[in-house]
Amino acid sequence: MNIESLREYCLRKKAVEETFPFGESTLVFKVRGKIFLLAGLEESPLQFNVKCDPEKIDDLREQYEDVKPGYHMNKRHWNTIIVTGSNSGKDPEKND
């Protein structure tokens, strides 16, 4: 995954808007004015913060090594995903 494929994925979702409220190096996606994903355009490897269901957040962190508590975010609602490719092809809904 790269920033363009992440962007395309987000923009396919219903009612999504793409903004840069924190400057031109942080891409932000919102639905109805609420942020659900932030991505640093200058990060290497790609990493992004994504809002998550609090009931699933700990399981995702335990299951995937590239899923961390949200960097500079509320740890109960946000995860940081570091895209290294180590989880490529795994379905989070299945226990592979």
Side-chain angles (χ1 to χ4, degrees):
M1 172 180 284
N2 58 38
I3 191 67
E4 275 305 312
S5 60
L6 176 64
R7 180 178 176 268
E8 290 170 10
Y9 175 81
C10 290
L11 290 174
R12 284 194 306 263
K13 301 296 180 188
K14 186 175 181 178
V16 168
E17 80 177 288
E18 173 184 37
T19 65
F20 288 88
F22 306 116
E24 56 189 48
S25 64
T26 305
L27 180 57
V28 175
F29 294 96
K30 300 177 182 180
V31 172
R32 297 187 183 127
K34 298 207 181 236
I35 297 172
F36 72 90
L37 190 141
L38 300 96
L41 297 177
E42 299 170 0
E43 299 292 333
S44 183
L46 172 64
Q47 50 187 301
F48 56 91
N49 290 339
V50 62
K51 195 148 193 190
C52 191
D53 180 344
E55 292 182 16
K56 295 181 180 180
I57 209 160
D58 290 327
D59 290 339
L60 291 170
R61 291 176 191 164
E62 290 172 14
Q63 189 173 1
Y64 300 101
E65 64 185 59
D66 293 341
V67 178
K68 310 288 184 196
Y71 182 69
H72 285 301
M73 305 298 277
N74 179 315
K75 309 302 187 238
R76 175 137 171 77
H77 296 278
W78 290 86
N79 274 332
T80 295
I81 311 301
I82 303 167
V83 182
T84 64
S86 66
N87 295 324
S88 182
K90 292 185 180 180
D91 183 342
E93 298 298 319
K94 298 178 182 174
N95 292 326
D96 292 336

